[in-house]
């Protein structure tokens, strides 16, 4: 046991001696523009231009007209939005699913939810399930 303790002590001493070779961090002041450029943050004017460019698309303009919304009025409302609201709309446009709504996913979710509640014994909807109660 004594030799094991000596070897462990030597190993720890060697590891600690190499700890000084680690690189140290340097702290400097970073401007807001540098942070925004490094994170890919889009400015409010670019977001507003992005939303307006979406309104300029032919399919979007046609969908707005089908719903009875005037394109000029929609652009005026976008111009009246605050920067936070424009950021929210731009984020919603970027993360919205393509195509129509996800009806199939919703139906599958409801089916699985009802199936689980049937198995747990909370409901009795499906005749092919047995309750665990």
């Amino acid at each position: 046991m004594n030799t094991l303790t000596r070897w462990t002590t030597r190993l720890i001493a060697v590891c600690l001696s190499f700890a000084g070779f680690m690189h140290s961090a340097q702290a400097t002041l970073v401007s807001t523009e540098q942070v925004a450029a490094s994170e890919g943050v889009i400015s409010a004017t670019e977001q507003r231009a992005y939303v307006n460019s979406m309104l300029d698309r032919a399919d979007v303009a046609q969908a707005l007209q089908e719903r009875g919304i005037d394109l000029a009025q929609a652009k005026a409302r976008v111009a009246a939005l605050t920067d936070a609201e424009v950021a929210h709309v731009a984020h919603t446009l970027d993360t919205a699913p393509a195509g129509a709504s996800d009806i199939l996913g919703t139906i599958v979710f409801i089916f699985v939810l009802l199936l689980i509640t049937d198995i747990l014994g909370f409901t009795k909807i499906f005749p092919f399930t047995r309750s665990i109660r």
Side-chain angles (χ1 to χ4, degrees):
M1 193 71 167
N2 196 9
T3 57
L4 180 64
T5 306
R6 270 193 230 149
W7 278 104
T8 306
T9 306
R10 289 179 184 158
L11 179 65
I12 291 172
V14 169
C15 289
L16 289 175
S17 67
F18 284 115
F21 292 119
M22 298 248 181
H23 295 288
S24 62
Q26 297 180 5
T28 60
L29 292 176
V30 179
S31 68
T32 306
E33 291 81 17
Q34 289 174 334
V35 172
S38 68
E39 292 181 1
V41 177
I42 301 172
S43 70
T45 56
E46 291 172 345
Q47 288 175 340
R48 195 173 303 274
Y50 174 69
V51 174
N52 281 327
S53 71
M54 293 299 280
L55 289 176
D56 289 336
R57 289 179 34 187
D59 56 339
V60 174
Q62 181 184 1
L64 288 174
Q65 287 176 354
E66 288 174 0
R67 288 167 178 80
I69 301 170
D70 184 31
L71 186 61
Q73 184 182 14
K75 286 186 178 186
R77 288 188 180 205
V78 168
L81 292 175
T82 65
D83 291 343
E85 292 169 338
V86 170
H88 178 71
V89 170
H91 177 71
T92 304
L93 288 173
D94 287 339
T95 59
S101 62
D102 191 19
I103 296 295
L104 181 63
T106 305
I107 291 171
V108 170
F109 172 74
I110 291 172
F111 173 74
V112 170
L113 179 70
L114 292 174
L115 184 66
I116 291 172
T117 56
D118 255 13
I119 292 171
L120 292 175
F122 297 128
T123 60
K124 185 62 182 154
I125 297 173
F126 302 113
F128 57 86
T129 61
R130 284 194 199 158
S131 174
I132 60 173
R133 289 186 176 190

